[in-house]
């Protein structure tokens, strides 16, 4: 049995592709990196046996592994991945900035993110209107025309601002990942009157297969990047301790640290893409949610916002639906074909 075969997760394990990306792969990468260091001679606070690391020794050890040893390695990595799976939400929350209250209220932590948001807001601003003195015709013009490329840059900045940060400053979080997810929660369904935090679990249940596949794929990508960022950060700390007495070999601990930084940046971009998919889900399937609730489909935007707000109040605080509310019959819902399309 080859060592590379241990990269394949056991067939039929619950979670499938998601488990492999989010749980198994980061754990396997960390375990493999640390095993190579230990096999090469890293011994923590004690110096290596012959004074230096020898990766030829690690290769020889890996090549000599028997079937039983490889199976034991696979079982150990899989067991660790399974045990850590329930902590995935906590991992994302940690990277979001869900830290102790006294720390999250520190001005310099949230203030740094707020200054970044304000910098993006300045990029969205177009040049001020400047009156132009009269020319030979004696007529004052209203302003100097704005170049198209300036308008385009402002539009791109506005789109990035909307995806990176929540609209309201009091929702700013201490990290870039937290702000990207807060932006999704703040904007998804907002135009139609929905509170995404309470409406999303219900909407997800009625999503069409194409939209659900996109949402799941982007969520898995974000979770995998977040898990990789945290796992490799812990790996870097363990590697630094293991290489403490190896001289310049200590710099090898920077490899997982660099991977952690890249993975975190990837998690931020994935969170922005995930937020975009949430907006698409509300755009295309909010009427399917109303049909599943046996609620009448509104005909006017103002009526839709009132209906959405009433349902969100019910889900969030248990506020009863307003008097006069009437449920629809299956025959009434047949006019939209049950697809939830606007």
């Amino acid at each position: 049995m080859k060592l590379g075969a241990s990269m394949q997760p056991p067939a039929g394990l619950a979670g499938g592709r998601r488990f492999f990306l989010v749980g198994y792969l980061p754990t396997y990468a960390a375990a493999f990196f640390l095993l190579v260091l230990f096999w090469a001679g890293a011994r923590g606070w004690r110096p290596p046996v012959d004074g230096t690391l020898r990766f030829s020794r690690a290769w020889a050890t890996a090549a000599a592994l028997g079937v039983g040893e490889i199976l034991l390695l696979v079982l150990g990595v899989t067991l660790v991945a399974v045990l850590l799976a329930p902590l995935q939400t906590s991992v994302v929350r940690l990277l979001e900035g869900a830290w102790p209250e006294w720390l999250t209220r520190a001005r310099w932590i949230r203030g740094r993110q707020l200054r970044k948001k304000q910098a993006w807001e300045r990029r969205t601003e177009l040049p001020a209107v400047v009156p132009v003195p009269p020319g030979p015709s004696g007529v004052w013009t209203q302003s100097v025309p704005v170049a198209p490329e300036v308008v385009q840059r402002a539009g791109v900045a506005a789109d990035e601002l909307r995806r990176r940060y929540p609209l309201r400053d009091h929702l700013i979080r201490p990290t870039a990942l937290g702000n990207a997810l807060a932006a999704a929660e703040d904007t998804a369904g907002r135009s139609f009157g929905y509170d995404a935090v309470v409406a999303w679990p219900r909407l997800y249940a009625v999503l069409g297969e194409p939209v659900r596949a996109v949402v799941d794929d982007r969520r898995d990508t974000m979770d995998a990047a977040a898990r990789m960022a945290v796992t490799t950060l812990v790996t870097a700390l363990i590697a630094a301790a293991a290489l403490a007495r190896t001289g310049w070999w200590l710099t090898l601990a920077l490899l997982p640290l660099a991977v952690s930084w890249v993975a975190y940046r990837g998690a931020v971009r994935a969170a922005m893409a995930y937020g975009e998919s949430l907006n698409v889900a509300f755009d295309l399937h909010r009427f399917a949610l109303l049909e599943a609730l046996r609620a009448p489909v509104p005909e006017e935007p103002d009526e839709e916002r009132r209906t959405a707000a009433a349902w969100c109040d019910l889900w969030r605080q248990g506020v009863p639906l307003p008097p006069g509310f009437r449920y629809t019959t299956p025959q009434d819902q047949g006019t939209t074909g049950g697809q939830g399309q606007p």
Side-chain angles (χ1 to χ4, degrees):
M1 184 176 183
K2 301 296 184 181
L3 181 62
S6 62
M7 287 191 64
Q8 300 298 325
L13 189 64
R17 175 180 176 274
R18 174 177 169 84
F19 175 79
F20 180 72
L21 290 177
V22 178
Y24 191 81
L25 187 58
T27 306
Y28 179 87
F32 182 77
F33 182 80
L34 293 175
L35 281 175
V36 168
L37 292 183
F38 294 142
W39 289 341
R43 292 174 176 268
W45 296 109
R46 294 180 298 170
V49 175
D50 51 3
T52 185
L53 297 185
R54 295 190 181 277
F55 288 96
S56 58
R57 184 189 302 121
W59 176 258
T61 302
L65 291 177
V67 174
E69 292 168 317
I70 293 179
L71 289 176
L72 186 62
L73 175 64
V74 172
L75 178 61
V77 172
T78 304
L79 180 61
V80 172
V82 171
L83 291 176
L84 293 178
L87 301 179
Q88 179 59 31
T89 300
S90 299
V91 167
V92 175
R93 293 282 293 165
L94 175 67
L95 295 181
E96 281 186 73
W99 308 327
E101 187 175 355
W102 63 268
L103 185 57
T104 55
R105 288 190 175 183
R107 292 184 178 180
W108 65 274
I109 296 179
R110 293 185 67 254
R112 182 170 179 267
Q113 291 296 324
L114 184 58
R115 288 191 295 272
K116 286 186 175 182
K117 179 187 178 184
Q118 292 169 347
W120 277 103
E121 289 174 341
R122 289 192 292 271
R123 296 182 190 180
T124 67
E125 297 174 354
L126 294 174
V129 175
V130 179
V132 178
S137 62
V139 178
W140 284 74
T141 55
Q142 294 296 320
S143 64
V144 176
V146 179
E149 57 270 19
V150 175
V151 177
Q152 183 178 17
R153 284 198 298 269
V156 171
D159 181 65
E160 283 289 301
L161 174 65
R162 180 182 61 83
R163 297 168 64 195
R164 286 177 178 270
Y165 296 98
L167 297 175
R168 294 163 287 185
D169 287 349
H170 72 275
L171 296 177
I172 290 291
R173 297 180 183 175
T175 67
L177 179 62
N179 284 317
L181 291 174
E185 295 171 358
D186 192 34
T187 59
R190 180 186 179 91
S191 300
F192 310 115
Y194 288 97
D195 179 349
V197 174
V198 296
W200 176 247
R202 284 91 176 172
L203 181 67
Y204 181 83
V206 298
L207 291 182
E209 193 59 35
V211 175
R212 178 176 295 188
V214 172
V215 170
D216 289 345
D217 179 70
R218 294 185 176 183
R219 177 60 188 265
D220 291 348
T221 301
M222 182 189 70
D223 282 344
R227 174 70 73 87
M228 183 66 76
V230 172
T231 301
T232 50
L233 177 60
V234 174
T235 302
L237 297 177
I238 298 175
L243 297 168
R245 298 291 298 276
T246 60
W248 65 271
W249 287 107
L250 180 60
T251 57
L252 287 176
L254 296 177
L255 291 177
L257 190 62
V259 173
S260 178
W261 182 84
V262 172
Y264 177 76
R265 302 308 303 174
V268 174
R269 299 302 303 185
M272 294 167 60
Y274 176 61
E276 182 181 15
S277 68
L278 297 188
N279 279 277
V280 171
F282 275 96
D283 291 344
L284 298 182
H285 292 281
R286 64 189 191 276
F287 288 165
L289 174 60
L290 294 177
E291 292 174 6
L293 295 170
R294 301 285 297 275
V297 175
E299 298 181 357
E300 298 291 338
D302 289 342
E303 181 184 357
E304 179 183 12
R305 283 188 284 270
R306 289 193 298 268
T307 300
W311 279 106
C312 288
D313 288 342
L314 172 65
W315 297 328
R316 187 192 308 107
Q317 299 166 293
V319 178
L321 293 172
F325 179 86
R326 296 177 60 86
Y327 292 104
T328 61
T329 64
Q331 291 77 13
D332 295 332
Q333 295 178 347
T335 58
T336 61
Q339 299 300 316
Q341 300 297 334

